[in-house]
Structure formats: structure tokens, C-alpha cells
Amino acid sequence: AYDVFAVYPPPLLEAALSRWRYASGHPGYLTVEDWLRFVSWAEDRSRREAQRFWFGVLDADGDGLVGVADAKAAYDAVAATRAPGGGGF
């Protein structure tokens, strides 16, 4: 497994991949460029485009704001994978 993704709970990783703009034109199929950009944005979130992407992942309801419900959903996803028997990668 690629360690950079081990810190992301499956629901958050699924949300990220569902928002991804696939260069291949086929959702679910990453090109080399997709892979490199995704890894870059996962490892270095200091770039503005990476920040916008991850903000969009956290904005679960798509209203342009990260509200309490959005933050709780992300927190719950992380907590569920860290709880005993919670799974993860």
C-alpha cells in the first residue's frame, strides 16, 4: 500500500476520489498525471489548488462552506477508523 493514503479513512478517500477531475475522462481510472497530482496534493497541502481541492472534499454538502455538519462528518470518518475494530487500510 502507498503510505500517503494510510492516514485517510476510507470514506474521506472515497469523497476525494469522487471529486477528482480525471484526466482520463473516465471516473475511477487515474492516469499517471492524475496519480502524481493526487499524491502531490495529499502530501503537500500548502499549494492553493490543493487547498481548494481538500476544502471541497470537506464541504460534504457542497454549499461552499465547511460547517459543523461537514466537520462532524469528517471527524466521525476519522474516529471510526481509529476505533478498535474500525478498520482502515
Side-chain angles (χ1 to χ4, degrees), residues 11-30:
L12 204 57
L13 190 55
E14 288 170 18
L17 291 173
S18 73
R19 289 191 42 80
W20 192 256
R21 293 184 182 168
Y22 292 89
S24 68
H26 302 284
Y29 295 91
L30 296 167

Side-chain angles (χ1 to χ4, degrees), residues 6-13 58 70-89:
V7 299
Y8 297 104
L12 204 57
L13 190 55
L58 293 176
D70 299 318
K72 183 177 182 331
Y75 176 83
D76 288 348
V78 171
T81 59
R82 294 197 178 156
F89 286 59

Side-chain angles (χ1 to χ4, degrees), residues 19-85:
R19 289 191 42 80
W20 192 256
R21 293 184 182 168
Y22 292 89
S24 68
H26 302 284
Y29 295 91
L30 296 167
T31 64
V32 170
E33 290 77 22
D34 285 326
W35 173 255
L36 294 173
R37 190 172 63 216
F38 192 82
V39 169
S40 171
W41 289 1
E43 291 181 340
D44 179 10
R45 292 175 294 278
S46 66
R47 296 177 48 197
R48 179 61 74 186
E49 57 190 355
Q51 293 167 356
R52 289 180 196 276
F53 173 73
W54 288 109
F55 181 89
V57 170
L58 293 176
D59 180 19
D61 58 13
D63 66 357
L65 304 167
V66 175
V68 173
D70 299 318
K72 183 177 182 331
Y75 176 83
D76 288 348
V78 171
T81 59
R82 294 197 178 156

